[in-house]
């Protein structure tokens, strides 16, 4: 277990009141959706890049951690690993190392109280092969023995077929939409493209909306 030292890590209290409560409310809604499921894993995605999915994944994770749930945040966006950068773990072993190096020890990073994270790992060309591998997916499933909930930051659906691979395994989807940017046809296209892998849509988050 390694401890992160990024100064950008903070609790929801550092946000404005309305934003912090919005994530707490989202956490409550997700708990309700998951209450009849044994495996609490959520894949956070969006239609396009720049819609705030990584931001949402991190702050939903913080909301669960604040509620005394033990949370594992996994950066599976190996194309653009924003979560790993934000947490300051971009250079630490992670998802790609599980597959390429058979490394399963010392890859979980302690972010803050009750919140832990796994980085994307080193840069690789074998992204689809890694994300569809049994060794990676089995490792993530096993973490449910230690954590109450796992939140996965995945690539945007319209930019990468890898998201469909991730969703086909973990099923539960939280879909992020950016206010005044994401077009209706882009949402429809994204959701249609994952329909064949039978996702469970837990909800949609409207991001960057001015209050």
């Amino acid at each position: 277990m390694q401890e992160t030292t990024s100064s950008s890590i903070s609790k929801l209290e550092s946000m404005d009141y309305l934003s912090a409560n919005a994530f707490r409310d989202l956490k409550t809604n997700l708990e309700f959706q998951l209450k009849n499921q044994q495996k609490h894993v959520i894949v956070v995605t969006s239609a396009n890049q720049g819609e705030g999915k990584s931001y949402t994944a991190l702050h939903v994770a913080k909301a669960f951690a604040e509620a005394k749930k033990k949370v594992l945040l996994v950066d599976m966006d190996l194309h653009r690993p924003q979560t790993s950068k934000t947490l300051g773990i971009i250079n630490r072993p992670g998802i790609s190392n599980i597959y390429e190096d058979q490394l399963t020890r010392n890859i979980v990073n302690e972010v803050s109280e009750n919140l832990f994270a796994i980085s994307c790992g080193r840069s690789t060309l074998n992204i689809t092969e890694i994300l569809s591998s049994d060794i990676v997916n089995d490792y993530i499933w096993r973490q449910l023995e230690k954590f109450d909930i796992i939140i996965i930051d995945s690539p945007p659906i319209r930019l990468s077929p890898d998201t469909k691979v991730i969703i086909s395994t973990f099923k539960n989807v939280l879909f992020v939409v950016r206010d005044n940017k994401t077009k209706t046809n882009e949402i429809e296209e994204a959701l249609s493209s994952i329909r064949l892998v039978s996702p469970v849509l837990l909800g949609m988050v409207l991001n960057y909306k001015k209050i």
Side-chain angles (χ1 to χ4, degrees):
M1 189 81 67
Q2 301 184 64
E3 186 174 352
T4 64
T5 57
S6 172
S7 61
S8 64
I9 310 306
S10 59
K11 296 183 179 180
L12 289 179
E13 282 87 347
S14 66
M15 306 178 72
D16 66 85
Y17 178 80
L18 290 176
S19 296
N21 275 353
F23 280 108
R24 294 182 182 114
D25 187 52
L26 176 58
K27 183 270 300 179
T28 300
N29 292 338
L30 291 170
E31 281 184 316
F32 180 79
Q33 295 275 31
L34 293 170
K35 69 177 182 178
N36 293 322
Q37 296 188 29
Q38 291 184 332
K39 297 180 178 181
H40 294 174
V41 181
I42 300 173
V43 179
V44 182
T45 190
S46 59
N48 308 301
Q49 181 178 306
E51 293 175 335
K53 66 170 181 63
S54 298
Y55 176 87
T56 299
L58 176 58
H59 285 80
V60 168
K62 288 181 181 180
F64 275 101
E66 181 185 74
K68 306 303 180 183
K69 300 295 184 182
K70 194 174 181 183
V71 187
L72 180 61
L73 178 60
V74 184
D75 191 353
M76 295 185 78
D77 189 347
L78 305 191
H79 300 274
R80 190 171 178 266
Q82 186 60 46
T83 290
S84 296
K85 292 177 182 177
T86 299
L87 296 179
I89 58 175
I90 188 70
N91 294 319
R92 296 186 183 177
I95 293 298
S96 63
N97 302 92
I98 296 173
Y99 179 78
E100 295 180 337
D101 304 328
Q102 310 293 300
L103 180 65
T104 58
R105 297 181 62 186
N106 299 320
I107 65 170
V108 175
N109 302 277
E110 185 175 0
V111 176
S112 60
E113 184 179 4
N114 297 317
L115 179 56
F116 301 80
I118 296 177
S119 80
C120 57
R122 68 165 171 264
S123 179
T124 179
L125 297 176
N126 302 317
I127 295 178
T128 300
E129 187 176 341
I130 290 169
L131 295 178
S132 61
S133 68
D134 289 340
I135 187 173
V136 169
N137 292 326
D138 289 347
Y139 176 84
I140 293 174
W141 283 125
R142 288 199 306 273
Q143 300 315 298
L144 286 172
E145 299 171 5
K146 306 173 185 176
F147 294 92
D148 297 309
I149 187 166
I150 297 173
I151 297 175
I152 296 172
D153 182 10
S154 77
I157 294 172
R158 296 178 69 243
L159 268 65
S160 172
D162 301 323
T163 309
K164 191 181 298 183
V165 172
I166 296 169
I167 293 171
S168 70
T169 301
F170 299 105
K171 299 301 182 183
N172 294 322
V173 175
L174 180 64
F175 189 83
V176 178
V177 174
R178 181 163 182 168
D179 190 38
N180 290 322
K181 181 178 180 182
T182 314
K183 298 179 174 60
T184 301
N185 68 295
E186 293 172 340
I187 298 172
E188 292 172 347
E189 179 187 330
L191 295 179
S192 177
S193 72
I194 62 173
R195 191 170 297 139
L196 288 177
V197 298
S198 303
V200 177
L201 186 61
L202 299 178
M204 298 180 70
V205 176
L206 184 61
N207 217 357
Y208 293 99
K209 182 174 176 61
K210 294 182 180 179
I211 302 174

